[in-house]
Amino acid sequence: MSNTLGFQITKNDTSFMVSSKCRAWFMNCIDNTAGRKWENPVFKMIDKYKNINGDFLDIGSWNGVFSLYASNKFSKVIAIECDPKALVKIHNNILLSNFNNISVLPIALSDTDEIRDFGGDRMGNSMSSLFPKNVNKIIKIQTTNINSTNINFNKLSLVKMDIEGAEILVIPTLLNNKTFMLNLPPLLLSLHWYSEKNYNFPKDYDIIEVVAKLNMVYHTIINVTNRKVVSITDILDNELSNLLFIK
């Protein structure tokens, strides 16, 4: 269904509007009629932990796909994104859907407040990173520690983090947040292993060390793809990417 401004997308039991520039991707990957079932397990986790009295924190929101889907399932959605082209997409899609409970924070999360390189093969394709591989396609961007924001960590019912390797910088800051630690909301985490192909990670990049720190406080790790409990050894041996941490 469409109007002069946008196109309706329906995923499971949820409908929202997207702009004409986003229509093809959403129709091919997200809509119930799509042949490709992109990130289906993540949508199922959003359904599982929906809470109309709690908030959903979408770190690395890209075009707003998960934020739009979660809008009517949570009291508030906080979408964090710093890619300039992605920000245009998510703002347009929120406006077309007329959702008033999605708050977009146009910031780049890190462990420090500083100016860093940010980029990738092209902006807006969901793979831009603070560890860009292609040095010819980068911009300078101001980073922010998540603890400097006004996010109400006590109300979080679910956190999704997919930030192309920067999780090694952001997760330790969350673990230093007393309110977050007291609440410990379920954490959906996308890990990034393919540094040689897409990213220029530092030599001491060790995502397993970060996962181990999370495991010490959450205790249970689930492979989102098959919903089975996994160990750190399983994650390392199979380079598992989509994980759910629960207490």
Side-chain angles (χ1 to χ4, degrees), residues 9-222:
I9 299 298
T10 300
K11 177 66 177 179
N12 298 331
D13 62 348
T14 301
S15 295
F16 49 85
M17 302 295 290
V18 300
S19 68
S20 58
K21 290 185 177 180
C22 291
R23 177 181 181 269
W25 183 84
F26 275 88
M27 287 300 298
N28 290 333
C29 301
I30 302 302
D31 193 81
N32 287 338
T33 62
R36 178 186 174 195
K37 303 301 181 183
W38 183 85
E39 298 282 13
N40 253 8
V42 177
F43 289 103
K44 291 179 180 178
M45 290 298 103
I46 292 174
D47 286 334
K48 178 179 176 64
Y49 291 101
K50 65 182 179 181
N51 180 1
I52 60 172
N53 296 311
D55 296 347
F56 172 55
L57 178 58
D58 186 2
I59 304 176
S61 56
W62 185 31
N63 58 19
V65 53
F66 293 122
S67 292
L68 293 165
Y69 184 77
S71 178
N72 68 354
K73 304 175 189 292
F74 295 85
S75 173
K76 182 179 181 181
V77 174
I78 304 105
I80 295 181
E81 180 57 58
C82 62
D83 184 316
K85 290 190 176 182
L87 283 168
V88 172
K89 294 177 182 179
I90 187 172
H91 277 297
N92 287 341
N93 292 337
I94 292 171
L95 183 63
L96 287 168
S97 296
N98 197 29
F99 291 153
N100 58 16
N101 70 331
I102 302 178
S103 175
V104 179
L105 301 184
I107 57 177
L109 293 180
S110 183
D111 53 348
T112 57
D113 297 344
E114 61 179 342
I115 303 295
R116 292 186 58 134
D117 289 342
F118 177 81
D121 289 338
R122 59 186 175 89
M123 293 292 181
N125 71 345
S126 85
M127 295 182 65
S128 299
S129 172
L130 288 176
F131 304 107
K133 182 78 171 180
N134 189 337
V135 296
N136 295 318
K137 298 181 180 180
I138 62 173
I139 61 174
K140 296 293 183 180
I141 199 165
Q142 173 70 51
T143 62
T144 302
N145 187 310
I146 196 170
N147 297 320
S148 300
T149 68
N150 61 358
I151 294 170
N152 186 348
F153 293 95
N154 195 47
K155 277 199 68 179
L156 296 179
S157 293
L158 179 65
V159 177
K160 186 230 84 186
M161 185 183 300
D162 185 357
I163 45 178
E164 311 305 307
E167 57 269 15
I168 66 167
L169 305 175
V170 178
I171 287 173
T173 66
L174 281 175
L175 297 181
N176 285 329
N177 183 295
K178 292 182 180 180
T179 307
F180 180 87
M181 292 295 289
L182 286 172
N183 184 19
L184 273 186
L187 172 63
L188 274 169
L189 178 64
S190 291
L191 301 183
H192 297 83
W193 300 89
Y194 32 96
S195 58
E196 293 298 322
K197 180 180 179 182
N198 295 306
Y199 306 106
N200 186 27
F201 291 145
K203 291 182 179 179
D204 59 351
Y205 179 88
D206 188 357
I207 192 59
I208 285 297
E209 181 182 349
V210 174
V211 170
K213 290 179 179 179
L214 282 172
N215 192 211
M216 289 178 65
V217 295
Y218 275 101
H219 303 304
T220 301
I221 311 174
I222 296 174

